């Protein structure tokens, strides 16, 4: 696959609050880009500016442009459907580069610690289509000491970073997934959402909407950003 590097020139979405919010002030969560667009166009929902959350220490620039980021790592299948909207107009943003990275089932990030030998697994970039949608094939993330379960995300538009955030999972679902191999071998995780120092600062708006799909799950969210 082709490596594609994006330069971090600026972070534009700094406000972390709501733009105009109907539907109880929640971000639009959808697993169907077309349905989500219709909901926005009909006025059933309004766009929300997605909160900025810390990049964390495990970012590596220049990740691969690809959909499947597993590289043979075992875990429960997870299909991610991430849609990027202009928070000012609610219109999808085509051609945005969505950049994700997360820990494996053992709690390791590629390029660091015990996993320093590889700098690419469970990392990747996809560009959004005409509906603002980017899709990834990955695994349900593992946990590591001091943090709840999460996926890191950056959104690049025109070479600039317009959003840095984290995506989260309902604790009850994580409890279910972690009963199976390879997660079960690690024992109980140390932090749940309500005790996580990042989640309590806006993480509720980064909760994925998840549904069962075969042996895995589909996780969806729409992210409102400023271009």
């Amino acid at each position: 696959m082709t490596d594609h590097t994006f330069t971090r020139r600026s972070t534009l979405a700094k406000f972390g609050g709501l733009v105009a919010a109907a539907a109880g002030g929640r971000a639009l969560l959808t697993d169907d880009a077309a349905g989500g667009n219709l909901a926005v166009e009909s006025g059933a929902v309004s766009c929300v500016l997605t909160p900025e959350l810390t990049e964390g220490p495990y970012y590596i620039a220049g990740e691969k442009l690809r959909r499947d980021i597993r590289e043979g790592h075992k875990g429960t299948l997870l299909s991610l459907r991430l849609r990027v909207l202009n928070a000012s107009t609610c219109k999808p943003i085509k051609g945005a580069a969505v950049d994700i990275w997360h820990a494996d089932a053992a709690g390791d990030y590629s390029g660091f610690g015990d996993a320093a030998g590889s700098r690419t697994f469970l990392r990747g970039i996809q560009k959004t289509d005409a509906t603002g949608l980017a899709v990834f094939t990955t695994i349900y993330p593992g946990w590591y000491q001091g943090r709840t379960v999460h996926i890191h995300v950056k959104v690049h538009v025109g070479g600039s970073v317009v959003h840095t955030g984290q995506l989260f999972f309902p604790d009850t679902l994580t409890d279910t997934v972690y009963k199976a191999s390879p997660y079960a071998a690690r024992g109980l995780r140390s932090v749940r959402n309500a005790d996580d120092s990042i989640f309590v600062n806006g993480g509720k708006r980064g909760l994925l909407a998840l549904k069962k799909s075969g042996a895995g799950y589909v996780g969806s969210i729409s992210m409102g950003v400023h271009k």
Side-chain angles (χ1 to χ4, degrees):
M1 305 297 293
T2 302
D3 287 339
H4 198 98
T5 302
F6 294 88
T7 303
R8 180 173 184 168
R9 297 186 206 156
S10 63
T11 300
L12 303 181
K14 298 178 180 177
F15 307 103
L18 302 182
V19 179
R26 288 182 59 84
L28 172 63
L29 303 178
T30 178
D31 57 19
D32 186 315
N37 288 339
L38 290 174
V40 171
E41 291 166 4
S42 70
V45 297
S46 297
C47 295
V48 174
L49 183 63
T50 303
E52 293 292 297
L53 297 174
T54 181
E55 175 183 292
Y58 301 118
Y59 178 62
I60 296 177
E63 294 169 4
K64 292 183 177 181
L65 188 65
R66 59 184 180 169
R67 173 172 290 192
D68 191 334
I69 65 174
R70 292 174 294 175
E71 292 191 14
H73 280 252
K74 302 299 182 182
T76 298
L77 182 65
L78 176 65
S79 177
L80 284 175
R81 297 173 61 83
L82 310 180
R83 195 156 63 92
V84 181
L85 298 174
N86 185 326
S88 299
T89 65
C90 291
K91 292 182 178 179
I93 299 176
K94 180 182 178 180
V98 180
D99 185 352
I100 68 169
W101 66 102
H102 66 82
D104 65 7
D108 294 323
Y109 282 89
S110 57
F112 297 88
D114 293 339
S118 170
R119 293 172 61 86
T120 58
F121 71 77
L122 302 180
R123 300 176 179 273
I125 296 172
Q126 277 286 280
K127 287 194 173 183
T128 56
D129 63 16
T131 69
L133 184 67
V135 179
F136 292 91
T137 300
T138 186
I139 61 170
Y140 205 97
W143 62 273
Y144 55 94
Q145 194 68 31
R147 287 301 317 277
T148 194
V149 182
H150 62 281
I151 293 175
H152 292 270
V153 60
K154 281 183 182 287
V155 179
H156 313 251
V157 176
S160 294
V161 176
V162 297
H163 174 60
T164 300
Q166 297 182 25
L167 307 175
F168 297 94
F169 299 78
D171 280 323
T172 52
L173 178 59
T174 298
D175 291 342
T176 298
V177 171
Y178 281 9
K179 290 177 182 177
S181 178
Y183 309 95
R186 297 195 61 210
L188 296 177
R189 56 197 171 109
S190 58
V191 178
R192 298 173 75 83
N193 289 343
D195 303 314
D196 184 78
S197 60
I198 307 302
F199 182 86
V200 297
N201 290 310
K204 285 185 178 179
R205 296 193 194 107
L207 273 169
L208 290 161
L210 288 127
K211 70 175 185 179
K212 196 80 168 67
S213 178
Y217 295 89
V218 176
S220 307
I221 195 168
S222 289
M223 297 176 287
V225 305
H226 281 318
K227 292 180 65 175

